[in-house]
Amino acid sequence: MMTVKRVAVLGGGLVGGFIARELAKYDDIELTLYDRDEAVLAHCAKTAKLATQQADLSDVSVIAAIAGAADLVMGAVPGRLGLAMLRTVIKAGTDCIDISFFPEDAAQLDNLAREKGARVVVDCGVMPGLGGMLAARFSRQFDKPQSMRILVGGLPLERSWPFEYKAPFSPADVIEEYIRPARYIVDGKLITMPALSEIELLDFPGIGTLEAFNTDGLRSIMATLPYPSMVEKTLRYPGHAEKMRMLRELGFFDEEPLAVSGGSIVPLELTSRLLFDNWKLTTGMRELTVMRVEASGIRDGQLLSLRCDVLDHTDPDSGDFSMARTTGLPAILCARMLLAGKLGIEPGVTAPETLGFDETRLNYIIRGMQHFGVQFDFTEVRL
Amino acid sequence: MMTVKRVAVLGGGLVGGFIARELAKYDDIELTLYDRDEAVLAHCAKTAKLATQQADLSDVSVIAAIAGAADLVMGAVPGRLGLAMLRTVIKAGTDCIDISFFPEDAAQLDNLAREKGARVVVDCGVMPGLGGMLAARFSRQFDKPQSMRILVGGLPLERSWPFEYKAPFSPADVIEEYIRPARYIVDGKLITMPALSEIELLDFPGIGTLEAFNTDGLRSIMATLPYPSMVEKTLRYPGHAEKMRMLRELGFFDEEPLAVSGGSIVPLELTSRLLFDNWKLTTGMRELTVMRVEASGIRDGQLLSLRCDVLDHTDPDSGDFSMARTTGLPAILCARMLLAGKLGIEPGVTAPETLGFDETRLNYIIRGMQHFGVQFDFTEVRL
């Protein structure tokens, strides 16, 4: 007999909506999508068989009630609501797969989750998420892992001057990645560099030349993976970083109010406002997600390089953006394993990359994504 | 016996101050410098033997009193005060050499000047000014003038990312040149293009590669010179125009208020504010002024190209900027000719380029500038 599980998806945005619509297709899941916005709920209900309920997800008592009635919570709320949401779900003792990407360190909830018996995977998207899992797998293929880097970016297919970029979320959230100093590790030492620094040009077959620059994307990987050198970089079409750096260095990203026009203005607010239309990713546009994970190390006395190139495009049939697909699918596939008792994690907060230490779990995720059309290209080179 | 002439210099800024200090060196001139700012006057009085007087040059009754007591007025007020100042000087029947570069058409004062017997030369700087004079001279060297272009720019010697530019005046005044559509003439037809358009790269010996782009700089030349094709372009270090165009196209130069931060902000005001420090040309910096005037036409049945390259650097001894020198010297030298009865102009408003139709006058100006170290390099090529 099939046991039906109650899954609550919190947030019906691009990624949350995709997760809800896909998970709702399984007969053994009774899915409810929660969002503050009725129009968002109506849109998802039109394209999938799922229950919807209007809910204020910034209200922890609302979260507590939802979590109390669910077997699994999929967290897809705005980042600023993420930590409070997850704490409340954990307090209810409910399992959670989260892609809210909140800025705070999720490890602070580990003890609470163990105590409450809640199994939690945070940052379960493409990167953080899948990229770290691939790097984890590679680390097990070396006798002595040496270095690892992850390059990742979401890009529009049509390149428009000056930024050749479209964002599925607010410009302020992208700009935040261009402000926050980037941390990476070289020979075990923590290095801090400005975001947008160390720009290099790299060729990606089928896409062309892209630039890679420092952003602060390693997160928990700095503590969980065994490479003495690790770096994460963001990919954009060439020229993007210099333009953004120019705006940053001139003060257009400043968050301190400035006296101008006889009033007070936060430069970042004007900049976000002016970039909003330029960067807007709207229905019908085509974009792609590209990620390269490469690692080197010693195996059988040989220096070896392992690489995985991941590539995905907007689904031409459904219109789902690659960004929603590649972020949502790792979360969906982890949810499937968790519900089937096959994720193999204990109560507590699990960093997503550690799932990659297990071949079976990672293969399930890769095959599941391939089934959706996401391309994986593995190469191994003796150096 | 020497007749002493009373010369009033209105405005003690970079150019006005230079004009005052240089004209004050002549024994036959009794010079008074007027400015609102006591510190500006004190600075000029320290380095030259001249009288100074604090005066509100936005007050036309003040201008009328000054003009009434002078034989010649040198106008060097901010552009927005220029037209009213000049009208008042003309009403007093006083001659005037002006480098205030006001945006309005000075021809509107021509009838008044004729009536009052005032001889006026407007825009008597490097460009407008000297550039047009050189183009006028070239036009007389052809049986059939065909085309002419003037490339001009002021640049810092030290190139600093991102703009590699320093402005001796407010960023808003420079940005104004990047906003106003550029007009030029091709085969007798008026063409209007966006400012910052048609960027081309050109080599300038001793400087390197510069970019030239459209700005609206021909002014009266469109009516006074006999070339069927004429264009003026601004010179900057390569990359400047694209960055400025980016800011313009994104809306950072907009002059309409925008609702942001719970208030209202004029984007241009924030941008001017943020660029102010970046663009500031301060004492001790070294800069250069470069201008290329080139013309082609038929002479004796042959297609001929005539060119003059003008180059000047900050004076290492006095610290006078090349911008002040190359703008101030044409005005100074015209003033000398006017006072000596050798400028040969009638009462009315004279466009500066028309002075170049006369070899003697232009040679006086060129030799006078060469005496100050400004470099002129003439070339003639049969095409």
Side-chain angles (χ1 to χ4, degrees), chain B residues 35-48:
Chain B
D35 199 286
R36 189 170 56 178
D37 190 337
E38 299 271 15
V40 160
L41 295 172
H43 173 77
C44 284
K46 225 171 29 188
T47 50

Side-chain angles (χ1 to χ4, degrees), chain A residues 92-110:
Chain A
T94 307
D95 294 335
C96 183
I97 308 285
D98 186 52
I99 54 101
S100 301
F101 302 118
F102 50 87
E104 302 89 347
D105 186 357
Q108 66 188 276
L109 300 176
D110 187 47

Side-chain angles (χ1 to χ4, degrees), chain A residues 14 29 53 76 81 89 175 203 207 209 258 265 271 274 276 284 346 365 374:
Chain A
L14 280 177
I29 287 178
Q53 197 173 318
L81 306 180
V89 172
I175 291 171
D203 291 329
I207 302 173
T209 302
L258 202 65
I265 166 82
T271 302
L274 292 177
F276 189 82
E346 298 299 312
I365 293 170
V374 180

